[in-house]
Amino acid sequence: MFHIHKRVLILKSREEEVVKEAEKILTAAGLDVKSWASDPVPVAGCGAHIRPSDWSGKKTPPGVVKGMVYHLSVYEEDEEKARKLLEKNLKS
């Protein structure tokens, strides 16, 4: 019989390295982790691909692929353990 496990999003970042580091930490602790990348919802309609940093004079942080958002999720029953591990071990 199949058991359906609900996943919970625990980390969302524009920096791929942050998500990869978090994935290593959680995997080393024995948690089942799923990560993926997606395009963000556009700021303006019709897929404008505009970021506030494009017109605010701020520079895009290093390691950021323009327009990508990286996600990390774990099973619902592992959420508390995962958050504690990331809080203790993740830099920034």
Side-chain angles (χ1 to χ4, degrees):
M1 189 90 192
F2 291 106
H3 292 358
I4 305 296
H5 294 280
K6 182 179 177 186
R7 288 197 174 268
V8 178
L9 181 68
I10 59 164
L11 182 63
K12 187 163 102 172
S13 175
R14 289 192 179 270
E15 297 182 40
E16 184 178 15
E17 288 75 28
V18 171
V19 175
K20 283 186 177 183
E21 183 179 347
E23 187 174 8
K24 285 180 190 176
I25 292 167
L26 297 178
T27 303
L31 300 179
D32 186 10
V33 178
K34 181 180 179 191
S35 63
W36 70 97
S38 65
D39 289 325
V41 176
V43 175
C46 300
H49 300 291
I50 298 173
R51 291 182 43 182
S53 62
D54 292 342
W55 70 81
S56 67
K58 296 179 182 175
K59 294 185 178 178
T60 303
V64 173
V65 175
K66 190 171 182 169
M68 293 303 290
V69 178
Y70 302 93
H71 310 270
L72 187 72
S73 67
V74 296
Y75 288 131
E76 187 175 45
E77 56 266 16
D78 296 333
E79 179 182 10
E80 186 177 339
K81 181 179 179 181
R83 289 193 188 278
K84 286 181 182 178
L85 282 167
L86 292 180
E87 186 177 300
K88 185 190 297 186
N89 298 310
L90 197 60
K91 300 169 198 155
S92 71

